Structure formats: C-alpha cells, structure tokens
Amino acid sequence: CGLTVKSADLFVLTRTGPGARLTLLVSDGGTISCNQATPKPIPDALLITARDLADSLNMDARANLRLPPRPASVYSYTVALQNGTIRFSDTSVSGHRDLAQAELFAAQAAQSECGLSG
C-alpha cells in the first residue's frame, strides 16, 4: 500500500563501565542498532530472546527498579522499556534472574551483532 510502518522498540539497553559504552536499540520488527549505528537485522534466536526479556522485565520497569551497585561492580546497566526504566549493576543481580539475562543478552549482542568484546 506504500505505507511505511515502523515496528515498536522492545527496549534500549545501555552498558557503561570499562571500555566503550554500549547502547543497544532492539526493535520488535527484527532489527538491532549498536551505539546509534544504522539498524540491521537481528538473528531470529536473539530476537526471540529480546522479546522474552522485554516481557519478563516489564513489571520491574513499571516499578522503575533501581538496584545499587555492590562492591567490586564493573558494569552498570540501564534498560529503558515502554513502561519504565530499570537500573542495576553487574553485582546487584543476585536473585534477579531476568536482570542476569539482560547482562547475558548485552554480552552476546555486543559480540555477535556489534563486533565488540563481551
């Protein structure tokens, strides 16, 4: 029909710490943008993981969950979803399986999609 319809964004995940800052914008339409680069297709398995992650983090986002870093923290994360934002560090995810999954997603996407070290 000639209409351009943009899919909704699932989330923006930002990781700060040693090395380069990482910002991932994941779209439900099947694209990922690394550090504001042009979006590119994301593998199906990673897209499914991203969709599951967005669903599982929704309640924490609604509550605007903030977990302070514990000693020896290396990376800090921010996950912005449609309903709110979550902030945590790599040492504050104990007991929060979904946040650990977000860390893993960031590492996997950094390597496989962005060409950065995990």
Side-chain angles (χ1 to χ4, degrees):
C1 296
L3 300 176
T4 302
V5 178
K6 183 180 177 201
S7 296
D9 295 333
L10 292 172
F11 56 81
V12 176
L13 185 151
T14 303
R15 181 184 73 187
T16 57
R21 176 186 182 111
L22 174 66
T23 301
L24 302 171
L25 170 59
V26 184
S27 169
D28 195 38
T31 62
I32 188 168
S33 173
C34 303
N35 296 327
Q36 300 179 338
T38 302
K40 64 181 191 174
I42 187 173
D44 291 341
L46 206 53
L47 177 60
I48 290 168
T49 299
R51 286 175 176 161
D52 290 344
L53 190 56
D55 287 342
S56 63
L57 292 175
N58 192 42
M59 292 296 288
D60 287 336
R62 285 184 186 275
N64 287 308
L65 179 67
R66 306 282 190 271
L67 297 174
R70 293 183 179 162
S73 179
V74 176
Y75 290 109
S76 295
Y77 296 85
T78 302
V79 183
L81 294 104
Q82 183 176 357
N83 296 317
T85 302
I86 301 167
R87 297 181 194 285
F88 62 99
S89 72
D90 53 356
T91 58
S92 62
V93 299
S94 178
H96 294 272
R97 181 180 175 273
D98 298 331
L99 299 182
Q101 292 287 6
E103 281 186 68
L104 180 59
F105 179 87
Q108 290 173 335
Q111 289 178 347
S112 68
E113 303 311 306
C114 306
L116 304 173
S117 61

